[in-house]
Amino acid sequence: MELECTILQHLRPGVRLDAWTILASMQISDRPAFVRHDKSISLDEIIAIEPVKRIRPFKRPLAAWAKKIPKYRRQAKETFGDVIPLVFFCPINHTDSHYTLLEINERERVIRHYDSLADRGAVNQTRMSRLVQEEFGALKFSYQEAPTSQLPCLRVCC
């Protein structure tokens, strides 16, 4: 992957991250061989009708990620010669103003949603929990909302 050197200017406090900066950060990070990641997924479409910016939710925004999992499994089997449980990191873009992280962990059979701005009272009643159930319910993994302020690389500063 080729990146412009100006992308590194985004890795400073107070500078808003974008999908490409997050992807580049994940690409250059040191991670175990069983971890897979890809570009962030937008949950919403922004419709710019001046002077108001309207937001419309995408239908089945996680469907593309659900389709990538079998592809990554095949690649891992070709690489390792055996089926190994993988961990998938899926950055999520919320209304182009906030990023969270969805972890699909085959090793632990759990899906976690890390959100630095999460409401700690809403456990399994969030939009993300409904989307995960729709797209990944067949995996029969447990689901956890993991509110955290320990993800500075995914927090968008305004």
Side-chain angles (χ1 to χ4, degrees), residues 21-144:
T21 307
I22 291 171
L23 179 62
S25 299
M26 293 179 83
Q27 188 68 27
I28 63 174
S29 67
D30 186 22
R31 62 190 177 284
F34 57 81
V35 172
R36 300 293 184 271
H37 68 279
D38 212 319
K39 190 171 182 268
S40 65
I41 297 170
S42 293
L43 296 184
D44 305 291
E45 177 180 25
I46 298 172
I47 305 165
I49 301 174
E50 296 300 328
V52 178
K53 179 170 85 170
R54 291 186 24 212
I55 297 169
R56 178 175 42 201
F58 283 119
K59 291 182 180 172
R60 301 187 62 210
L62 303 179
W65 243 109
K67 289 178 183 175
K68 291 177 187 181
I69 289 176
K71 177 187 87 166
Y72 285 133
R73 285 180 181 149
R74 281 191 304 277
Q75 289 174 348
K77 186 174 182 177
E78 291 170 8
T79 302
F80 300 108
D82 197 4
V83 177
I84 64 164
L86 300 173
V87 176
F88 307 96
F89 289 144
C90 318
I92 306 292
N93 180 340
H94 299 262
T95 64
D96 203 31
S97 62
H98 176 62
Y99 286 86
T100 63
L101 182 69
L102 191 66
E103 171 195 353
I104 303 166
N105 191 321
E106 294 180 333
R107 300 168 86 76
E108 298 177 16
R109 301 188 52 78
V110 65
I111 298 174
R112 293 182 185 97
H113 180 230
Y114 298 94
D115 185 353
S116 62
L117 301 179
D119 176 7
R120 296 187 188 278
V123 178
N124 286 322
Q125 304 157 354
T126 65
R127 178 182 181 196
M128 186 57 65
S129 67
R130 288 187 300 275
L131 291 172
V132 165
Q133 181 58 37
E134 289 171 13
E135 296 303 330
F136 302 108
L139 293 175
K140 299 194 184 326
F141 289 1
S142 64
Y143 176 79
Q144 298 173 356

